[in-house]
Amino acid sequence: NAGVTQTPKFRILKIGQSMTLQCTQDMNHNYMYWYRQDPGMGLKLIYYSVGAGITDKGEVPNGYNVSRSTTEDFPLRLELAAPSQTSVYFCASSYRSGGPRTQYFGPGTRLLVL
Amino acid sequence: QKEVEQDPGPLSVPEGAIVSLNCTYSNSAFQYFMWYRQYSRKGPELLMYTYSSGNKEDGRFTAQVDKSSKYISLFIRDSQPSDSATYLCAMITLTTDSWGKLQFGAGTQVVVTP
């Protein structure tokens, strides 16, 4: 199993540009999540999905959009990039049942908006 | 006030020392208490978790939860340079439909020097 994979690993965007961060999991997890991590701030939930076709906002959704057409894929779209979106983005997935719903994280995408 | 407070460090210890990490929280409804380890430029991975109050031991790692004080701890015995990482506490309350939002602390950077 590859687990959770994310592409690209690193990207530089100019202000106003758009991009899609890709996330794929091969564990047949129902739940998927997008977080951003800023230095000293921990992980903030951007969006999450409880299954194909179902998504909902997290703590910091402004400036982002998501879709979930399949169980495996959960892309994150940035429209009109701003310097405040410079961060490290992590995708994660988990089962719907069992214990604390352990989340499995991808390796992250580093985004720099200039 | 943040729901979960964690000192960001860095915490520097010599090899072989005991590392002591802790978090405080304000939401008494949290049910599961987790510690994630994050190596530099990698995604977080679950180290261990505890359900409700008490202690849990896994090799050199011991997790403690004191719900009456809203305080959790992680101890690393006989620390090794390979333990150098950022340790994030996380907590979750599960709703009746099995959904739960994971609340993370800011993470404590630990450096174990040879």
Side-chain angles (χ1 to χ4, degrees):
Chain A
N1 282 355
V4 179
T5 56
Q6 292 182 240
T7 56
K9 285 188 171 61
F10 176 67
R11 182 78 181 268
I12 299 174
L13 276 184
K14 293 183 179 176
I15 294 171
Q17 287 186 321
S18 300
M19 75 167 293
T20 298
L21 282 68
Q22 301 291 345
C23 175
T24 300
Q25 55 94 6
D26 63 359
M27 296 174 282
N28 202 31
H29 285 167
N30 302 97
Y31 295 169
M32 295 188 75
Y33 317 81
W34 273 105
Y35 293 92
R36 60 177 287 171
Q37 186 176 39
D38 301 306
M41 300 296 289
L43 289 153
K44 300 293 185 186
L45 184 65
I46 305 171
Y47 271 95
Y48 66 94
S49 169
V50 298
I54 307 170
T55 63
D56 208 346
K57 296 176 181 178
E59 298 174 78
V60 290
N62 290 348
Y64 308 95
N65 273 303
V66 293
S67 60
R68 185 130 180 242
S69 56
T70 67
T71 300
E72 296 79 19
D73 301 305
F74 190 40
L76 178 72
R77 178 84 178 158
L78 275 74
E79 304 282 2
L80 298 174
S84 61
Q85 293 178 305
T86 293
S87 189
V88 182
Y89 292 85
F90 289 100
C91 178
S93 68
S94 69
Y95 285 113
R96 185 180 181 278
S97 61
R101 313 299 185 268
T102 301
Q103 293 188 19
Y104 297 83
F105 286 81
T109 293
R110 293 180 174 274
L111 178 65
L112 180 60
V113 181
L114 298 174
Chain B
Q1 183 191 4
K2 292 181 184 177
E3 269 194 290
V4 180
E5 299 273 5
Q6 183 178 10
D7 188 333
L11 181 63
S12 184
V13 300
E15 183 176 355
I18 294 175
V19 176
S20 174
L21 304 167
N22 55 74
C23 290
T24 58
Y25 62 94
S26 57
N27 185 352
S28 59
F30 285 133
Q31 297 165 299
Y32 285 93
F33 302 87
M34 289 150 273
W35 289 94
Y36 278 78
R37 179 174 61 195
Q38 184 177 21
Y39 290 115
S40 181
R41 296 184 176 266
K42 301 286 187 185
E45 58 179 351
L46 182 68
L47 189 59
M48 57 195 304
Y49 73 88
T50 308
Y51 178 72
S52 193
S53 279
N55 293 0
K56 187 172 185 178
E57 192 171 312
D58 184 0
R60 297 184 294 111
F61 298 87
T62 299
Q64 291 184 347
V65 175
D66 182 349
K67 292 192 81 174
S68 62
S69 301
K70 296 191 180 71
Y71 188 90
I72 72 170
S73 301
L74 178 71
F75 300 97
I76 308 173
R77 291 184 299 280
D78 187 25
S79 58
Q80 305 295 311
S82 58
D83 295 325
S84 297
T86 296
Y87 292 80
L88 300 104
C89 62
M91 306 170 192
I92 193 169
T93 298
L94 298 173
T95 61
T96 51
D97 62 356
S98 203
W99 163 248
K101 176 177 167 291
L102 203 56
Q103 195 69 47
F104 284 92
T108 300
Q109 184 186 1
V110 172
V111 179
V112 181
T113 54

